Amino acid sequence: MSKKAVPTADQKDAANVACPGPSATAPINAKLSKEEKIELHRKMVRIRRFEERSLRSYQSKKIGGFLHLYIGQEAVAVGCCSLMGKDDHVITAYRDHGHAMAVGMDTKALMAELYGKITGCSKGKGGSMHYFAPSLNYWGGHGIVGGQIPLGTGLAYALKYKKLKGAAMAFMGDGAVNQGAVHEAYNLAALWNLPVIFVIENNGYSMGTSQERSSAGPGLAQRAEAYGMNWGTCFGHDVYEVRATMDKFLTLAREKHQPAVVEIDTYRYRGHSVADPDKTYRTREEIEEYRRTKDPIQLFQNTLLAEGVLTEALAEQINAEALAEADPAADFAEASPFPTPDDIQKDVYWETDNPEKRTSKGRLFFD
Amino acid sequence: MAVLTYREAIRAALAEELTRDENVVLMGEEVAQFHGAYKVSEGLLEKFGPDRIVDTPISEAGFIGMGVGASMLGIRPVMELMFWSFYSVAFDQILNNAANVRYMSGGLINCPIVIRGPANGGTNVGATHSHTPENVLANHPGVKVIVPSTARDAKGLLKAAIRDNDPCFFLENTLLYGEKGEVPDTEEVIPLGVADIKREGTDLTIVTYGRSVLHSLAAASILEKEHDISVEVVDLRTIRPLDIDTVLASVKKTHRVLIVEEQKPFASVGSQLAYMIQREAFDELDGPIHRLATIDAPAIYSPPVEVEQLPNPQRVLKAALAAVA
Ligand SMILES: Cc1ncc(C[n+]2csc(CCOP(=O)(O)OP(=O)(O)O)c2C)c(N)n1
Ligand SMILES: [Mg+2]
C-alpha cells in the first residue's frame, strides 16, 4: 500500500530543487525578515539533529519505552508554531519532539526527559510521548490516539470564555481521525464556534496501516463539512505553504471564532517508532522518493539559497551548530540524576505538592 | 438551620460557588434549559446566564475532555454526568487525562475540574444505568472521590470540591435528591477527607458511605431497640482522601466491624478498608471484619428484587447480627 497524496492546490512533485511556490509571496511570508527566515530553517535543522542524536541514545539503550521520531515532518510543527502569538496554544499526540522544539523548549530538558532524568521537562515522569511546557502554551504530548483533541478544544473554550484573542492548534495523526473523541470535539467546536484548528498531520500511515486501509471517504479534512466547519489541505513539505495556509485559518479562529480542520500532507522517514522495522507496509523506494523530492529541510534550504537569504556557508554553519547542540544535550542528560523512589509520589496531587496550602485531610496515598 | 433537600443543597452550593468565582461554569446534558435531568440545576440558567450554565450535546468524551482542557487553562468547570454510569464512554478523558496530566507534566499542570452526578442503583433502570464506580475512580492516584449521604454534607463537600485544585469526582444519588436535612444558614465548607460519625455506639462499628448510611442508621435503631446492641455508624463521606483514622478510632472502641457499601464486592472500597483495618488494628479486632455489599451480579431490573440485591435495612440488620455473634 502506498501513501495516498493529499490533494493540494500546488503539487510540488518535481524534486528537492523546488523553489518558492505561490506561498512565498503570501503576506505572512513576505513580511518575514531575513533573520526570521533563517530561524525557521534553523529550527527544522535543530529538530532533525536532535532526533538523530536521540536515536543514537536509544540504540545505545539510554532511552526506554517508545521513541516516535518526527524526521521528515519538521515543516509542519515549525510552520504552525511560528505563527503563535501570546494567546495561541498547542497540544499534540505522542510524536511530539518537533512541536516541543518549535515552541522553544530547551533541548537539554527534552533529552533528559528521554533519559528518564529528574532534569527532564516532566521530571522523568512523562517520557518521549509526554512533553509539556505550559509556560510556552504547550500542553503536551499525549499518548492515547485522539485523546488530546477534546483537551485542545477545551483550551479554545477557555480562551473564548476569558475573551482572549487567541486560538488553539490541536494536532493529530491521520490515524486519529477515526476516533470518536475527535468527532465529538469537532461537533463541539463547530457548535460553539470555538477558536481551535484541528491539524491532521497526514504522513500516510498509522503505524503500518495506510490511509486507504483505515479511512473511508475522499479525504480526511473534508469530514469537517459534516459539521459545517472550514477545512483545508496543504503541502506540508514547504514551510511557507504551511504558514500561509495556517495563517488564514488561525486568523479566522482568532478574529471570528471559526474552527477548522486542516490536513497537512507530510511524510515520516523512520518507522512508526524506533521499534518498527518498517519492512512490511511500504517500500524503500517510496521513502527514498520522498527524501529525494520532498525533504522539507532541503526544500527550504534551496528556497532560501535562491532568495539569497542563506549562503552555503551559513547553511553549513547552522547544521554544525545544530549538531553541536545535540551532543551537549545528551551529555547533560547522561550526567543528570534519575528521580529517586521518593519522587514517585510527588506531582500526583496539587495538595500534597503544596502541603502548607492543603485543605483536605485524610490519606491520599495507600500502600 | 434551614431544612433543605439534598438536591436543593447541591443547587445552593453550585449557586454560591458560581457567585464567588467567575471561572466556575456548570456544564452537562440538560443542565440549563431543561433544569437538569434531576432538576438539580433548576433556576441556575435564569440566574447566571448561558455562558455559565451550558447545555452540552450527548457527548461525554467530548465535553468532559473539553472541560479537562479548559481546566488546564484556569477554568473551574463543574461537569454534570446525567448518570455516573455514563463515565464509561468518557473513561479516557476522566482517568487518562484528568487523573494523569499533572503527573506526566512533572507537576506543571493543574486540573481543577469537578465531575458530578448520581451513581446508584435502586431505581429499576437496569445494569447500564446503575453503576457505582467510586472504587474504580479511587483506584487512580491523582483524583479525589466524594460520596455524600446528607444534604448538609453534599453542600459543604461540593463547595470544597469546587475550590480544590485537583480533579474531584462527586457521586450523588437519585434516591437521596428528595431527602431533607438541616443545613447551616452560614457558609460551611466541609474539608474533604473527614469522616463523620453519624451515630455513636459501643458494640459494633459500621463503616459506610452514601445512601448505605441511611440503611445503616435504620438498622442501628432496630439493633438498639430489639437487640440491645449499640452501633456506631461512621460515614466516610470521602473515599479518597480517606479518613482511616476515624475508622480506626471507632474500631478501637467497638472491636467489631461491618462494612456496608453499595458496591460489587470484588475489589470494592470495602476490600480496601478491610485490608487497612486488619493491617492497622489487628489486635483490636474481636472477630473477622464483615462486609455487606451489593449481591454480585449486574444490577437486576425487577423492582422488588433489586431492593434485595442492594444493601437495605434488613440486610444490614442481618449482617450486623452476624458480625457481633
Ligand atoms: C487509543 C489508542 N489506540 C492505539 C494506540 C497505539 N498506537 C499508537 S500510535 C498509533 C498509530 C497512530 O497513527 P497516526 O494517528 O497516523 O499518527 P502517526 O503515528 O502517523 O504520527 C497506534 C495504533 C494508542 N496509542 N492509542
Ligand atoms: Mg500517521
Side-chain angles (χ1 to χ4, degrees):
Chain A
M1 284 290 168
S2 63
K3 184 179 182 297
K4 183 170 168 183
V6 173
T8 52
D10 172 44
Q11 295 277 7
K12 295 188 190 61
D13 276 337
N16 273 345
V17 293
C19 283
S23 310
T25 53
I28 191 75
N29 293 321
K31 73 174 193 198
L32 286 171
S33 69
K34 194 174 154 187
E35 288 68 35
E36 286 166 335
K37 290 180 177 181
I38 291 173
E39 187 52 26
L40 291 172
H41 180 64
R42 185 193 304 278
K43 276 227 160 116
M44 293 197 289
V45 176
R46 286 177 57 229
I47 292 169
R48 189 164 298 182
R49 299 290 96 88
F50 172 85
E51 288 207 300
E52 288 166 349
R53 184 67 188 79
S54 71
L55 174 59
R56 292 217 306 283
S57 296
Y58 190 91
Q59 286 160 342
S60 52
K61 300 206 172 354
K62 299 287 182 193
I63 298 174
F66 298 135
L67 187 70
H68 305 92
L69 298 177
Y70 196 61
I71 294 176
Q73 302 186 202
E74 295 90 343
V76 182
V78 169
C80 292
C81 296
S82 68
L83 299 166
M84 284 170 72
K86 83 170 182 14
D87 289 320
D88 296 327
H89 293 259
V90 168
I91 190 164
T92 188
Y94 47 83
R95 198 178 297 287
D96 60 347
H97 309 164
H99 310 76
M101 286 182 70
V103 299
M105 286 180 77
D106 170 36
T107 44
K108 287 196 170 74
L110 297 182
M111 192 69 88
E113 187 62 29
L114 299 181
Y115 278 58
K117 300 298 181 79
I118 190 81
T119 52
C121 55
S122 300
K123 302 184 189 161
K125 292 177 170 173
S128 161
M129 301 191 284
H130 308 115
Y131 282 174
F132 293 87
S135 63
L136 297 169
N137 294 1
Y138 178 63
W139 300 92
H142 292 267
I144 300 298
V145 170
Q148 77 281 11
I149 301 303
L151 301 187
T153 310
L155 296 172
Y157 178 89
L159 289 171
K160 190 173 178 188
Y161 186 85
K162 294 181 171 186
K163 301 196 166 51
L164 295 168
K165 218 173 163 187
M169 289 185 273
F171 291 86
M172 71 189 108
D174 47 290
V177 301
N178 300 315
Q179 283 284 33
V182 171
H183 287 268
E184 295 194 25
Y186 283 2
N187 181 57
L188 292 172
L191 187 68
W192 291 339
N193 303 311
L194 301 179
V196 54
I197 315 290
F198 302 105
V199 184
I200 303 167
E201 296 195 56
N202 188 347
N203 61 13
Y205 300 91
S206 47
M207 285 185 80
T209 306
S210 64
Q211 184 186 331
E212 52 271 73
R213 294 203 300 128
S214 64
S215 298
L220 305 181
Q222 247 163 290
R223 294 180 180 184
E225 281 178 14
Y227 300 95
M229 244 190 306
N230 297 330
W231 63 278
T233 59
C234 95
F235 179 82
H237 307 269
D238 175 356
V239 74
Y240 277 158
E241 187 166 328
V242 171
R243 281 171 48 86
T245 305
M246 286 297 290
D247 176 56
K248 196 174 77 188
F249 288 107
L250 279 167
T251 306
L252 286 171
R254 294 186 198 112
E255 309 276 335
K256 298 191 168 158
H257 292 135
Q258 288 186 14
V261 181
V262 181
E263 179 181 354
I264 304 186
D265 189 24
T266 184
Y267 198 76
R268 68 165 156 76
Y269 299 161
R270 306 287 176 155
H272 165 69
S273 74
V274 175
D276 168 20
D278 197 2
K279 291 213 168 90
T280 52
Y281 59 91
R282 59 180 183 176
T283 62
R284 289 291 105 191
E285 291 70 35
E286 181 183 292
I287 303 172
E288 271 323 301
E289 182 67 7
Y290 271 94
R291 278 186 190 275
R292 198 173 59 73
T293 64
K294 289 180 186 153
D295 184 70
I297 295 179
Q298 197 60 52
L299 282 176
F300 198 55
Q301 179 167 317
N302 293 350
T303 302
L304 295 186
L305 285 169
E307 285 185 24
V309 168
L310 264 187
T311 60
E312 293 284 356
L314 183 53
E316 196 31 62
Q317 186 191 329
I318 288 169
N319 190 46
E321 284 166 2
L323 278 170
E325 177 186 359
D327 277 335
D331 295 342
F332 170 80
E334 178 74 48
S336 293
F338 287 105
T340 65
D342 284 344
D343 292 310
I344 292 173
Q345 289 186 321
K346 292 179 186 157
D347 307 310
V348 178
Y349 289 98
W350 180 89
E351 271 206 320
T352 46
D353 294 338
N354 297 277
E356 73 289 352
K357 295 187 195 141
R358 181 171 177 186
T359 53
S360 82
K361 313 242 181 324
R363 271 190 223 178
L364 275 166
F365 292 104
F366 299 84
D367 45 33
Chain B
M1 290 222 206
V3 173
L4 297 184
T5 63
Y6 185 94
R7 172 189 288 112
E8 288 163 344
I10 293 170
R11 185 186 304 146
L14 289 168
E16 287 174 21
E17 295 307 299
L18 281 154
T19 305
R20 189 186 58 81
D21 181 351
E22 65 174 22
N23 283 321
V24 175
V25 293
L26 174 68
M27 280 193 196
E29 292 156 21
E30 311 295 352
V31 297
Q33 294 194 17
F34 194 84
H35 288 166
Y38 287 96
K39 304 296 170 216
V40 169
S41 52
E42 191 162 30
L44 296 181
L45 171 67
E46 292 72 11
K47 185 152 185 218
F48 295 99
D51 287 346
R52 312 281 308 280
I53 312 296
V54 184
D55 277 329
T56 67
I58 306 160
S59 189
E60 286 81 1
F63 76 77
I64 299 258
M66 199 193 73
V68 174
S71 79
M72 302 189 317
L73 259 189
I75 305 294
R76 289 183 170 269
V78 179
M79 316 298 287
E80 177 169 311
L81 281 172
M82 192 181 282
F83 288 77
W84 257 103
S85 283
F86 308 153
Y87 84 125
S88 53
V89 300
F91 200 95
D92 181 47
Q93 298 302 326
I94 299 172
L95 293 165
N96 253 324
N97 288 343
N100 290 340
V101 73
R102 177 177 180 80
Y103 196 67
M104 293 198 307
S105 66
L108 295 176
I109 297 176
N110 298 332
C111 182
I113 192 173
V114 173
I115 305 176
R116 51 156 287 272
N120 57 281
T123 56
N124 326 129
V125 288
T128 55
H129 284 57
S130 304
H131 289 283
T132 52
E134 57 270 20
N135 57 333
V136 178
L137 299 169
N139 188 248
H140 294 76
V143 314
K144 296 174 180 169
V145 182
I146 304 127
V147 193
S149 67
T150 66
R152 178 177 188 164
D153 291 349
K155 183 175 180 206
L157 290 166
L158 182 55
K159 286 170 70 79
I162 293 172
R163 297 177 189 196
D164 202 281
N165 287 330
D166 293 308
C168 288
F169 305 148
F170 196 84
L171 282 63
E172 302 162 11
N173 191 310
T174 53
L175 294 172
L176 294 179
Y177 281 141
E179 290 287 323
K180 289 188 176 145
E182 290 193 332
V183 178
D185 299 319
T186 52
E187 177 169 77
E188 180 179 51
V189 180
I190 300 175
L192 307 184
V194 182
D196 185 38
I197 298 180
K198 288 283 192 292
R199 177 189 174 109
E200 295 201 37
T202 51
D203 301 329
L204 171 71
T205 295
I206 295 183
V207 189
T208 183
Y209 59 90
R211 183 164 165 256
S212 298
V213 171
L214 276 58
H215 301 321
S216 301
L217 289 170
S221 10
I222 300 171
L223 284 159
E224 172 151 80
K225 279 192 212 106
E226 297 176 12
H227 302 271
D228 198 24
I229 295 168
S230 161
V231 177
E232 179 142 303
V233 177
V234 179
D235 178 0
L236 293 175
R237 302 201 287 193
T238 312
I239 307 301
R240 188 169 185 152
L242 181 68
D243 181 4
I244 193 68
D245 292 343
T246 296
V247 174
L248 295 173
S250 179
V251 173
K252 281 175 193 157
K253 193 162 110 185
T254 65
H255 309 289
R256 302 233 176 219
V257 184
L258 169 66
I259 297 162
V260 180
E261 56 181 353
E262 188 180 327
Q263 279 265 276
K264 306 288 162 43
F266 195 100
S268 70
V269 170
S271 312
Q272 175 66 20
L273 284 169
Y275 166 75
M276 291 174 81
I277 294 167
Q278 66 79 31
R279 185 74 187 83
E280 301 189 34
F282 189 74
D283 292 337
E284 299 288 343
L285 291 169
D286 285 349
I289 297 165
H290 286 240
R291 175 174 65 171
L292 177 71
T294 301
I295 293 175
D296 200 15
I300 193 167
Y301 158 67
S302 181
V305 187
E306 190 185 16
V307 176
E308 294 309 316
Q309 184 174 13
L310 301 180
N312 60 43
Q314 282 309 314
R315 288 187 71 211
V316 176
L317 181 65
K318 221 170 123 193
L321 289 171
V324 293

